[in-house]
């Protein structure tokens, strides 16, 4: 019975320290990869698309064209211009990207979705001139000048010849040689409300001065 002391092997339990491997859990720091989220700064590219940045790169000439178009849309709004769409008045029209210059308004009719104009114009393919139909959105300018309309069918050769003669007479008149054909003043003559115009007239004038100054500087360089 004295063999009982063999139980002393219990100390083998000392292997428990192997559990010390638990520290392997320390790998948790791998979670530290979260900082990869720092890539968020890539969003810093946003400034490249900021409207202000793009506008700063727009040439002055382009800015002037944009403001002129804004002003044109106000001036040619039916509410503001319909009373000036009289037969014989010189108007400037554009067909697509082609500026046809000044023409003689033959008629203006209210229709849906917008007013329809018939204008005698001269184009590269029709140097003798012709009467063409345009939606009001093609109207670019409205002049102060009106001419007497010839009698007869506006599509008849004789009438077309008289319209061409009248148009050329006005365009080549010495009075308009230096200043060009005068346009109706949006405020003094068309009585467009100030709230509709905002600061467009002043902005266009300021940009025109900048464009002129740049041209003068380039010419003297």
């Amino acid at each position: 019975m004295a063999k009982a002391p063999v139980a002393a092997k219990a100390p083998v339990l000392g292997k428990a320290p192997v559990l010390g491997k638990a520290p392997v859990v320390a790998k948790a720091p791998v979670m530290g990869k979260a900082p990869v989220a720092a890539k968020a700064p890539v969003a810093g590219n946003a400034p490249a698309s900021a409207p202000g940045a793009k506008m700063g790169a727009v040439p002055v000439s382009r800015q002037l064209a944009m403001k002129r178009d804004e002003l044109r849309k106000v001036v040619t709004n039916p509410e503001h211009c319909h009373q000036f769409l009289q037969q014989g008045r010189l108007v400037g029209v554009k067909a697509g990207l082609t500026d046809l210059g000044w023409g003689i308004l033959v008629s203006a009719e209210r229709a849906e979705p917008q007013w329809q104009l018939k204008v005698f114009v001269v184009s590269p393919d029709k140097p003798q001139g012709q009467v063409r139909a345009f939606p009001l959105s093609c109207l670019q300018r409205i002049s102060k000048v009106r001419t007497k309309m010839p009698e007869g069918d506006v599509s008849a050769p004789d009438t077309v010849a008289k319209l061409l003669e009248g148009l050329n007479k006005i365009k080549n008149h010495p009075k308009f040689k230096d200043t060009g054909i005068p346009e109706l003043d949006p405020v003094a003559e068309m009585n467009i409300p100030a709230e509709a115009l905002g600061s467009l007239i002043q902005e266009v004038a300021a940009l025109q001065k900048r464009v002129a100054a740049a041209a003068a500087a380039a010419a003297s360089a």
Side-chain angles (χ1 to χ4, degrees):
M1 296 298 292
K3 290 181 179 181
V6 175
K9 289 182 179 181
V12 174
L13 291 174
K15 290 182 180 181
V18 174
L19 292 174
K21 290 182 179 180
V24 174
V25 176
K27 289 184 179 180
V30 175
M31 295 294 289
K33 289 184 178 180
V36 174
K39 289 184 178 180
V42 173
N45 290 338
S49 61
K54 287 187 176 181
M55 284 303 292
V58 177
V60 177
S61 58
R62 177 58 181 158
Q63 291 181 47
L64 176 57
M66 292 166 66
K67 287 298 176 182
R68 277 178 170 166
D69 193 54
E70 285 183 44
L71 179 58
R72 177 194 69 80
K73 289 177 180 177
V74 175
V75 170
T76 60
N77 183 309
E79 183 181 346
H80 303 146
C81 74
H82 75 275
Q83 60 184 313
F84 300 99
L85 300 179
Q86 302 145 316
Q87 188 181 60
R89 186 180 294 280
L90 263 66
V91 294
V93 290
K94 195 173 184 179
L97 298 176
T98 304
D99 190 341
L100 297 174
W102 292 108
I104 299 175
L105 183 62
V106 174
S107 67
E109 297 180 359
R110 186 170 188 172
E112 294 298 337
Q114 62 177 310
W115 284 64
Q116 296 295 314
L117 312 178
K118 286 187 178 180
V119 185
F120 174 80
V121 292
V122 174
S123 57
D125 61 326
K126 288 285 185 179
Q128 73 274 23
Q130 64 177 330
V131 175
R132 291 177 57 178
F134 299 92
L136 186 61
S137 58
C138 290
L139 183 62
Q140 302 296 303
R141 296 166 290 172
I142 306 174
S143 83
K144 298 181 181 182
V145 182
R146 290 183 65 187
T147 184
K148 184 178 180 180
M149 289 290 294
E151 296 180 0
D153 182 357
V154 293
S155 62
D158 288 349
T159 307
V160 168
K162 290 178 182 178
L163 285 168
L164 178 61
E165 181 182 1
L167 179 60
N168 286 334
K169 186 176 181 180
I170 295 172
K171 291 167 67 174
N172 299 321
H173 197 288
K175 185 178 180 180
F176 307 133
K177 182 178 179 181
D178 298 324
T179 58
I181 295 174
E183 298 179 37
L184 285 173
D185 186 287
V187 178
E189 294 165 323
M190 297 183 72
N191 297 312
I192 297 177
E195 56 269 25
L197 291 165
S199 60
L200 283 173
I201 293 178
Q202 292 80 0
E203 290 180 64
V204 168
L207 287 168
Q208 284 177 326
K209 288 182 180 180
R210 290 177 60 188
V211 169
S220 60

